[in-house]
Amino acid sequence: MQRRAERDQGGLGAPPTSFRQWGRAKRLHRVLVCAAAVPVMLIASGCSSDSGSGGDKAAGAGATVSASESAAPTVQAAAYKSLPEACGVLSKKTLKSLVPEASKSGKKGTAEAGTRGSCSWSSLDNNGVKGSQFRWLNVSLLRFESDTSRGTGEAQAQKYYDQQIQDAKSVAGAKNAKSQAVAGTGDAATLVRYDLKKKEGAFKQQTVVTRVENVVVTVDYNGAGLAGDKAPSADTLGKLAGQAAKETVSAVSAANGEGAATPAPSDSASGSKAPSKSASPSASPSKSASKSASPSKSAAKTS
């Protein structure tokens, strides 16, 4: 009986021991399964993270390209695209007032279609023992195109306009130099006048520099009384030079489709008779403002 009781007790005691071992084994299995799942999750997470990072980089690169394209430099297009022929900008009536004895066709200077051009006229009214009246006229046109590195055509023209005025004021040997604004001519216009003594006589130089949009017009006009004849009036010469500048600006506008060129009425002035065809034309402006010869300076060399 005792052995049976012991066996019965042993039978009743065995299941709890096996149950505890089974429980521990089950918990260990769960731990192992979880531990095995962690690397998988980490790998999945890492892949997801890398994919996101790559996407962000790609998006960032696209944004950079887009920003770079939108930041590309631009410049406003120049208003005027062409120029008239320099020898055809003045009416016959105006030429008759300024250079009465000159050839109506004028002497064409260095030109580049649509970019620059110049034309000059010289006149000598020889009155024998009473002396002579000499006149010389030069019209120069220079057009600037907009450029991303140099700026708008108008800004470049303004810079050249300022330079031309300074050149006219700094001519060697000039006396009694004066400058004044000229109204009603282009976007800006300035008259520079001075006296210049030469072996042939005393010359009265008038230079009108005008800017209209992206084009600069320079009119050089001088006169002198030779062989004992009296010197012409500086005021009269200045008025005639201004008239030529205004007419040239009108021709520039007409060449670009802005109305018709309407020559200003010609004011004949005493002493406007002109002289010889021996005067040399002024140097035409070059493509670059900094390298171009100033018409004013070249005018000073004309005799």
Side-chain angles (χ1 to χ4, degrees):
M1 292 295 292
Q2 182 177 0
R3 288 195 193 99
R4 185 177 181 179
E6 288 175 354
R7 284 197 298 269
D8 292 343
Q9 288 176 358
L12 291 174
T17 301
S18 299
F19 179 78
R20 285 195 297 271
Q21 290 176 348
W22 176 79
R24 286 197 298 272
K26 188 174 182 179
R27 285 196 297 273
L28 178 59
H29 176 70
R30 288 177 179 174
V31 170
L32 292 174
V33 170
C34 291
V38 169
V40 175
M41 294 176 65
L42 290 175
I43 291 172
S45 175
C47 292
S48 175
S49 175
D50 289 345
S51 175
S53 175
D56 290 343
K57 290 179 180 179
T64 302
V65 171
S66 177
S68 176
E69 290 176 351
S70 64
T74 59
V75 64
Q76 183 178 357
Y80 288 163
K81 299 298 183 182
S82 63
L83 290 176
E85 286 293 331
C87 290
V89 295
L90 300 177
S91 68
K92 292 181 179 180
K93 187 175 182 180
T94 296
L95 288 172
K96 186 68 175 177
S97 297
L98 277 76
V99 283
E101 301 301 322
S103 168
K104 300 302 183 290
S105 60
K107 185 175 181 179
K108 187 176 181 179
T110 303
E112 185 174 336
T115 301
R116 61 172 175 161
S118 67
C119 193
S120 63
W121 299 260
S122 60
S123 172
L124 179 64
D125 183 15
N126 192 339
N127 296 311
V129 295
K130 294 182 179 179
S132 304
Q133 284 293 319
F134 173 78
R135 300 290 183 273
W136 180 78
L137 171 67
N138 186 80
V139 176
S140 297
L141 305 96
L142 186 61
R143 186 183 70 85
F144 293 86
E145 190 61 72
S146 294
D147 184 87
T148 53
S149 62
R150 291 176 293 180
T152 65
E154 183 176 340
Q156 294 177 67
Q158 181 64 41
K159 183 177 180 180
Y160 183 68
Y161 166 82
D162 294 335
Q163 176 190 320
Q164 287 289 82
I165 294 173
Q166 291 306 312
D167 286 349
K169 290 179 178 180
S170 59
V171 171
K175 303 293 183 182
N176 305 317
K178 298 178 181 178
S179 64
Q180 64 187 65
V182 178
T185 304
D187 296 310
T190 300
L191 165 65
V192 179
R193 61 168 61 175
Y194 55 83
D195 299 332
L196 194 62
K197 184 70 175 179
K198 297 184 179 182
K199 61 180 181 180
E200 297 87 353
F203 287 75
K204 301 287 185 180
Q205 173 69 34
Q206 315 293 314
T207 298
V208 179
V209 185
T210 305
R211 181 186 68 77
V212 54
E213 298 289 358
N214 55 306
V215 175
V216 176
V217 172
T218 303
V219 173
D220 285 297
Y221 184 51
N222 64 47
L226 308 178
D229 203 352
K230 65 179 183 179
S233 164
D235 288 340
T236 298
L237 295 181
K239 186 175 182 180
L240 290 171
Q243 175 186 320
K246 188 171 184 178
E247 195 167 319
T248 302
V249 167
S250 178
V252 172
S253 297
N256 287 275
E258 293 189 0
T262 53
S266 209
D267 291 330
S268 296
S270 61
S272 65
K273 300 176 182 179
S276 92
K277 302 172 183 178
S278 60
S280 60
S282 70
S284 62
S286 70
K287 297 178 184 178
S288 167
S290 62
K291 294 181 180 179
S292 62
S294 163
S296 301
K297 289 184 176 179
S298 60
K301 298 177 182 179
T302 305
S303 58

